[in-house]
Amino acid sequence: MLASWMLAQSDYPIPMTNLTLGHYLFVAAAMFAIGLIGFLTRRNLIIMFLCTELMFQAAGIALVAFSRYHLNHTGETFVIFVLTVAAAEAAMALALVVLLFRRRESLSAEEWGQMKG
Amino acid sequence: MTELATTVWQGLAAAGLGAAEGWGVPPAVPGPMWIGLIPALPLLAVVLCTLCAIFKVKSKLPAWLTVGCLAASFVVTLLMYLNMSGSPMLSTAFTWIDVSWGSERSPRNLHANFGFYIDSLTCLWMLFVTGLATLIALYASEYMSHDVGKGYSRFFAAFSLFVFSMACLVMADNLILLYLGWEGVGLCSYLLIGYFYKKPSAVAAAKKAFIMNRIGDLGLALGIFLIFVKFGTVEYAKLFADGAFKEMLGHAMTGTSESWAKIPWDVKLIPILLMVGAFGKSAQFPLYVWLPDAMEGPTPVSALIHAATMVTAGVFLIARTYAVFQLSPSALTIVAIIGTVTALLAATIGMAQFDIKRIMAYSTVSQLGYMFAGLGVMTSVGACFHVFTHAFFKALLFLACGAVMHGFAGQLDLRKLSGVGKMPGWRIVGITMLVGCLNLAGFPLLAGFWSKDMILAQAFITPGMGLVGWVLLLTAGLTAYYTFRVYFRVFVGPQEHHPGDEAHGHDDHDAHGHGGHGHDDHGHAKADHKHEAHDFHPHPPGWAINLVLVVLAAASFAIIPLTFMGKHGGWVGDMVSHSSAAWSAPGEHHDDHAGHSHAAGDTHSHAGESSRSHDEEKLGTFLGMDPHAVMYYVSGVVGLIGIGVAYRLHLQGRTSAATSRADALLPMLGPIPKWAQNKWYVDEFYHFLFVRPLWVLSHIFHLIDRMLVDGLVNLAGILPRALGATIRPSQSGQLHGYAVAMAGGIGVLLLIVLLVAR
C-alpha cells in the first residue's frame, strides 16, 4: 500500500531494523488525523487543547523521522524548539481555559462565539 | 451722434483747444506727500474703531474718533484745494503693482502706484465727500445711540472704511486703484445696508445691492482690461498723454465716417464697458433696483452712501474718463438716454410710494438720471454741479427723514404722520426739510435750481437731444410734485402721528437679542399700545442732529453764490473745466469765443469749416428761443406748478393724515397708480427673468450634485462596506468553524501538492 520509494531503506550507517520511514510517517499521520478529528468534533476546551497537542506531537514525530532518514539534525533541533514552545503554550492555554471556565461555568467552546474578528 | 461729436470738436476748436495742441490736460507735476493723509486718516479711524470693538467699548468713543479723523481729513482736503495749481498733481504713497513680462522686442509692463491724481475734479469730489462724511458721522453719533456697546463700533468702522474707499476711488491716479476703491465702497455699502443683520429684509437688500453692483463691476473691470490692452497703461496721466490715444481722439473729433472707421471696434467698446460699471454703481436704469432697497440700512448710511457720495462714483468715473467716452460714437448718447429714462421712471415710482425714505431713494435715482443725462448731452460741468448741489440737499433730506424715523419709532408712512414740523422740538427739522425740498424741487434761485437748469438748457442745445430735454423738463415737474407731497403730508397740516412698529424698545432691530424678560415687556407694551395709541411720545432730535441739519441747510444756501463765481458755469464749472472732465459743450463758449472762431476755423481744413457751419444750424433751441436765457423761467415755472399741484392735492383742506384730495383723483387714472406703487413690477420682472430661472437652475445643479457627485463619492464608501458585509458571516466567532475551514484548507493544499507533484 505504501509507495515503494518510501520503503527503500538507505543502507548506511545502521539500517532501521524492521521499521521504515513509512511506519513513522504512518503513525504521525494517524496521530494528526486523530488530533484533527478530535479537535473538530469535541466541544470541551480541554479536550480540544489535548487534540492540538496530539497534532503537535504528530508533526514532531514526522520531523524526527525525516531527520533520522536524511541523517542530519535539523529536524531534531526543530522538534526541541517546538517542544519548548508547546510547553509554554500549554501553560498559557490551560490558564486561559481556567479563566474562561470561571466566567461561564462551562468548558464548551460554543460559549465563546463572540470572538468575531 | 457723429454730428454731435463734430459739433463738440468745433466747440473745442473755438475754445482754442485745436487738434494740433491736443486735448487740454496739462502734464502732471509732482504733488506733496501729505495728500496721502486724506485716505490715511479714515483708515486710522477704521483701525481705532476696530480696537474699540475688540475691547468692547461701551461709550460713544468710536463716534468721536470717527468724527475727529474725518474732520481732520476734511481739513487736509481744504489744504489740498488751496494748494491747487493749474496742472494736476501726482503724489505717490508707494509702488503698488509693478509687473513686467513679454519678450525683449515687445516688453509689457503693468505699473500702478498707490498714488493720487489731484486735479480740480478730485478736489471738488473730495471736498463734499469728506465734508459730508464728517457731518453725517456727527449725526450718526446721536442717531445710532441705541446701539452703543453693540453695533456702534462696527457701524463706525464700516463708515470710516467707506470714506477711505471713496477717497481711493476719487483720488486714484490709476484705474486699478480706482477699482479697489470702487469695490471697497461696494463692500461697505453691503456691510452697512446689512447692518441690522438679524432682519431678513436688510440681509436680502444687502445681497441685492452687492450682486447688482457686481454686474456693473464686471463691465468696469473689462473696460479697464481693455484700456490696458489697447493703450498699455492704466495710469490717467500716461493714458491722457498717450500718442495712440490722442490720435484716436483726433479721429473721433474729426467726426467723419472715414475717421470713425480708423478707430478699432474694441476701442469703441471701452466706453460702453466703463458705462456699464457706472450704471451699476450709480443705480441707472437696468441696474437701479438695489438703491431703493438699500434704505434698509440705518438712515445716516442712506444719506451718506446712497444719496450723497457713493452713488456719484459712476458720474465721477465718466467725468474722469470723459475723453475716453469721446472714442465711441454712441456711448454718450446711450448715457443720455439711459439717464433720462431712469430720471422719468424713478420719478413716476417716487410719486406713488408712501414710505418717505423710499420716496427720497427714488428721487436719488431720478436725480442721478439727471446727472447722467447731463454727461450724455456734453455738459460735464452741469452734471458735476448737480452732483455737488444734490449731495448737500439730498443728505439734508435724508437726515431730516431719518430724524422723523428716529423720533416716531420707525414710522415712515406718510399716511400716518402729519404736521410734524409744528410739533414742539421739531421746528428745526421742519424748516430744514423745507429747504431740502425746495432745492430738490428746483425752486427758483436755490442751488438745486441752478444745477438742474444747466443740464436742462444743455439738453435743448445739444443737437438731437431735444426729446431728452422735454422728458427731463417733465421729470422736473414730477420731482417737485412728489417732493412736496412728502412735505405737505408729513411736515405741515393737522398734527397727527402714529408711532411705528419700533415703539417701546430702542433696539427693536435686534429684538431677538433681548433676554426673556425684556421680550415679555415688549409684548406687553405692544398690547397696551393698541388700547391707548396716544401713550406714545415722539422724542425730538437732540443737538447733534439739529446741528447737522442746520449746517447742511446753511450749506445749501452758501453754495448758491458759487454759481455766479468764475467764468463759465460758476465755481464748479471752473473746477471741472480745469480737469480731465473738461469738455466744451456746444454753444457753451459762444460768447467768449465769438471773436476767435474765425481764426480757429482758418487753421482747419475747408471740410471742417463747411461741416461746422452745417452743424451750427443744428444747435437746438427751446421753442425757437435761446435755451440758456429762457430755461431759468421755464424750469422755475415747471417746478412751481409741481409744488402748486402738491399743495392743492395734499395740503389744502386736508383734515387727517391718512386722506387727501389726491385719493379722489386716483381712480380716474385707472391701474396706473397701482402699477407705479408696485414700481412698474420691475422687481417682479427681474425676479421672473433672472432670479427664478437661476433658482431653478441652481436646484437642478443641486440635484445633480446630490445624485451624481455625492453618489460617486458615496459609492466609493459603499463598495468596501458591501464587500465586508458579504464575507463577514464567515467570521462567525465559532471556533469550530475556523477549525473546519483550516482543515479544509489543509486538505485543498494537500490535494494541490499531490496533483502538482505528479
Side-chain angles (χ1 to χ4, degrees):
Chain A
M1 171 180 165
L2 287 167
S4 61
W5 60 268
M6 279 188 171
L7 304 173
Q9 179 85 61
S10 72
D11 51 3
Y12 185 82
I14 301 156
M16 284 177 76
T17 57
N18 295 327
L19 288 174
T20 61
L21 177 64
H23 291 103
Y24 289 103
L25 291 184
F26 182 80
V27 171
M31 271 173 71
F32 190 88
I34 291 166
L36 187 60
I37 290 164
F39 189 83
L40 292 182
T41 51
R42 303 303 290 264
R43 291 289 178 267
N44 189 314
L45 278 172
I46 292 179
I47 304 286
M48 285 167 76
F49 175 67
L50 287 177
C51 290
T52 57
E53 287 297 312
L54 211 54
M55 286 189 277
F56 253 131
Q57 303 317 321
I61 288 171
L63 280 168
V64 173
F66 275 115
S67 178
R68 177 75 185 80
Y69 179 73
H70 290 299
L71 294 175
N72 70 25
H73 300 290
T74 317
E76 285 161 12
T77 321
F78 207 68
V79 169
I80 301 288
F81 277 107
V82 169
L83 282 175
T84 320
V85 172
E89 178 236 309
M92 255 180 56
L94 282 172
L96 214 61
V97 167
V98 170
L99 281 177
L100 293 178
F101 178 77
R102 281 195 189 156
R103 286 208 165 194
R104 291 284 158 95
E105 297 286 320
S106 157
L107 281 173
S108 170
E110 279 164 355
E111 289 289 314
W112 295 94
Q114 75 265 51
M115 286 192 298
K116 296 179 185 176
Chain B
M1 194 61 204
T2 326
E3 294 84 17
L4 170 58
T6 316
T7 322
V8 173
W9 170 233
Q10 294 307 328
L12 259 188
L17 302 164
E21 298 95 303
W23 168 63
V25 171
V29 296
M33 277 306 289
W34 49 261
I35 283 171
L37 281 176
I38 298 172
L41 283 165
L43 195 61
L44 176 70
V46 177
V47 173
L48 292 175
C49 289
T50 313
L51 287 177
C52 286
I54 291 171
F55 292 110
K56 297 195 168 50
V57 172
K58 298 248 186 295
S59 67
K60 285 193 175 183
L61 182 65
W64 303 131
L65 287 170
T66 306
V67 172
C69 285
L70 294 183
S73 184
F74 176 63
V75 171
V76 178
T77 313
L78 268 180
L79 285 176
M80 176 175 87
Y81 169 64
L82 296 175
N83 269 278
M84 279 295 300
S85 60
S87 38
M89 292 188 287
L90 278 178
S91 171
T92 303
F94 54 87
T95 305
W96 187 31
I97 298 170
D98 190 13
V99 197
S100 298
W101 72 98
S103 63
E104 271 184 29
R105 252 182 294 162
S106 61
R108 302 302 303 268
N109 181 296
L110 173 62
H111 189 86
N113 286 329
F114 205 96
F116 312 113
Y117 182 89
I118 311 299
D119 64 357
S120 41
L121 187 69
T122 314
C123 275
L124 175 69
W125 238 268
M126 283 319 292
L127 278 174
F128 74 75
V129 167
T130 53
L132 284 177
T134 312
L135 287 176
I136 294 171
L138 181 62
Y139 175 98
S141 71
E142 181 183 328
Y143 187 89
M144 302 303 292
S145 54
H146 297 334
D147 281 15
V148 170
K150 280 178 283 179
Y152 208 64
S153 307
R154 179 162 58 91
F155 177 84
F156 281 100
F159 194 95
S160 308
L161 186 63
F162 165 75
V163 181
F164 166 73
S165 306
M166 192 69 193
C168 282
L169 195 163
V170 174
M171 298 172 66
D173 76 341
N174 59 71
L175 286 160
I176 308 276
L177 187 57
L178 173 131
Y179 193 76
L180 178 81
W182 192 271
E183 294 295 312
V185 291
L187 169 72
C188 295
S189 170
Y190 171 79
L191 291 175
L192 289 169
I193 297 170
Y195 175 75
F196 300 119
Y197 57 87
K198 282 174 183 157
K199 210 167 135 196
S201 60
V203 175
K207 278 198 286 192
K208 189 172 180 182
F210 202 67
I211 293 168
M212 278 302 196
N213 267 305
R214 204 72 322 99
I215 298 170
D217 294 350
L218 178 68
L220 175 62
L222 291 178
I224 295 174
F225 298 159
L226 208 50
I227 285 181
F228 179 70
V229 169
K230 299 314 282 186
F231 301 113
T233 182
V234 289
E235 288 164 282
Y236 299 135
K238 286 185 191 160
L239 176 68
F240 295 152
D242 189 65
F245 179 72
K246 282 187 168 175
E247 196 190 322
M248 284 183 203
L249 209 55
H251 290 317
M253 291 301 99
T254 313
T256 56
S257 51
E258 303 96 74
S259 66
W260 276 120
K262 286 182 196 153
I263 303 178
W265 66 272
D266 43 3
V267 171
K268 287 180 189 163
L269 194 61
I270 293 174
I272 309 278
L273 290 169
L274 294 181
M275 189 171 80
V276 172
F279 284 171
K281 194 60 84 197
S282 288
Q284 290 302 291
F285 166 57
L287 303 174
Y288 74 93
V289 292
W290 67 270
L291 186 59
D293 284 17
M295 298 304 123
E296 291 289 345
T299 307
V301 172
S302 311
L304 175 67
I305 300 188
H306 305 119
T309 59
M310 180 185 104
V311 288
T312 64
V315 183
F316 176 79
L317 176 71
I318 298 183
R320 172 58 84 214
T321 57
Y322 212 46
V324 178
F325 274 77
Q326 312 300 331
L327 292 179
S328 161
S330 52
L332 284 177
T333 315
I334 299 175
V335 169
I337 291 168
I338 293 282
T340 311
V341 168
T342 312
L344 181 64
L345 188 75
T348 53
I349 298 175
M351 284 168 69
Q353 300 297 308
F354 291 107
D355 180 324
I356 56 175
K357 214 173 146 188
R358 214 161 258 271
I359 295 173
M360 289 306 144
Y362 279 107
S363 84
T364 302
V365 177
S366 176
Q367 297 303 306
L368 286 166
Y370 264 97
M371 296 164 200
F372 275 78
L375 289 168
V377 298
M378 308 292 295
T379 169
S380 52
V381 173
C384 294
F385 190 24
H386 199 50
V387 166
F388 189 68
T389 56
H390 175 260
F392 287 96
F393 66 72
K394 187 49 69 64
L396 174 60
L397 284 169
F398 261 111
L399 295 182
C401 289
V404 172
M405 182 186 180
H406 193 66
F408 289 92
Q411 184 57 270
L412 283 170
D413 195 328
L414 54 74
R415 290 166 298 189
K416 296 190 175 154
L417 291 169
S418 179
V420 171
K422 292 182 201 160
M423 294 177 193
W426 288 90
R427 210 154 293 260
I428 292 177
V429 176
I431 292 168
T432 51
M433 182 78 184
L434 178 62
V435 172
C437 287
L438 287 172
N439 266 300
L440 179 55
F443 191 79
L445 307 182
L446 290 178
F449 168 76
W450 295 112
S451 55
K452 202 180 277 186
D453 247 24
M454 206 178 273
I455 296 173
L456 281 171
Q458 194 58 44
F460 282 108
I461 289 174
T462 308
M465 292 290 177
L467 186 61
V468 166
W470 282 109
V471 174
L472 288 181
L473 197 58
L474 169 67
T475 310
L478 300 181
T479 308
Y481 167 75
Y482 69 68
T483 313
F484 273 87
R485 174 167 170 257
V486 172
Y487 183 76
F488 288 143
R489 293 289 292 251
V490 176
F491 291 88
V492 287
Q495 294 187 27
E496 186 180 337
H497 64 81
H498 306 275
D501 48 7
E502 290 168 19
H504 316 287
H506 286 315
D507 40 351
D508 317 83
H509 284 300
D510 54 9
H512 299 289
H514 284 302
H517 182 66
H519 221 99
D520 284 346
D521 269 1
H522 198 98
H524 183 64
K526 251 194 174 164
D528 265 359
H529 162 67
K530 275 185 185 168
H531 298 297
E532 302 165 57
H534 296 287
D535 250 9
F536 171 79
H537 297 290
H539 59 275
W543 67 270
I545 288 182
N546 280 335
L547 175 70
V548 170
L549 290 177
V550 169
V551 169
L552 281 172
S556 73
F557 282 114
I559 56 179
I560 297 175
L562 295 179
T563 318
F564 307 105
M565 286 163 59
K567 269 178 283 184
H568 22 254
W571 176 74
V572 175
D574 270 4
M575 294 283 271
V576 173
S577 49
H578 287 132
S579 73
S580 68
W583 214 271
S584 332
E588 208 155 85
H589 296 289
H590 199 65
D591 308 327
D592 286 357
H593 301 286
H596 300 289
S597 59
H598 279 294
D602 286 345
T603 59
H604 284 92
S605 67
H606 183 66
E609 181 105 34
S610 65
S611 79
R612 174 170 178 267
S613 54
H614 175 66
D615 283 319
E616 256 190 2
E617 290 162 15
K618 279 193 169 182
L619 280 186
T621 58
F622 181 76
L623 303 174
M625 291 171 278
D626 179 13
H628 270 304
V630 108
M631 194 45 68
Y632 298 128
Y633 308 107
V634 175
S635 76
V637 167
V638 167
L640 287 175
I641 290 173
I643 297 173
V645 171
Y647 175 77
R648 181 98 182 89
L649 291 182
H650 291 288
L651 183 61
Q652 219 180 13
R654 186 164 61 82
T655 50
S656 73
T659 56
S660 73
R661 287 194 184 179
D663 298 341
L665 287 177
L666 286 185
M668 286 160 60
L669 292 169
I672 296 174
K674 190 166 170 289
W675 291 347
Q677 195 191 340
N678 288 321
K679 305 165 240 164
W680 300 114
Y681 298 99
V682 173
D683 272 332
E684 282 76 9
F685 177 69
Y686 283 172
H687 189 79
F688 176 75
L689 197 65
F690 300 112
V691 179
R692 182 60 45 163
L694 279 177
W695 188 84
V696 170
L697 200 65
S698 71
H699 273 73
I700 291 171
F701 279 127
H702 178 64
L703 270 185
I704 291 177
D705 182 54
R706 264 211 342 228
M707 300 284 196
L708 199 74
V709 181
D710 281 11
L712 280 176
V713 173
N714 286 342
L715 192 66
I718 285 172
L719 268 182
R721 241 181 218 232
L723 195 66
T726 353
I727 53 179
R728 193 178 304 124
S730 64
Q731 303 277 315
S732 61
Q734 290 298 323
L735 199 52
H736 289 91
Y738 300 145
V740 169
M742 195 179 79
I746 291 172
V748 171
L749 273 179
L750 271 179
L751 210 62
I752 290 170
V753 167
L754 285 179
L755 288 177
V756 173
R758 273 294 140 82

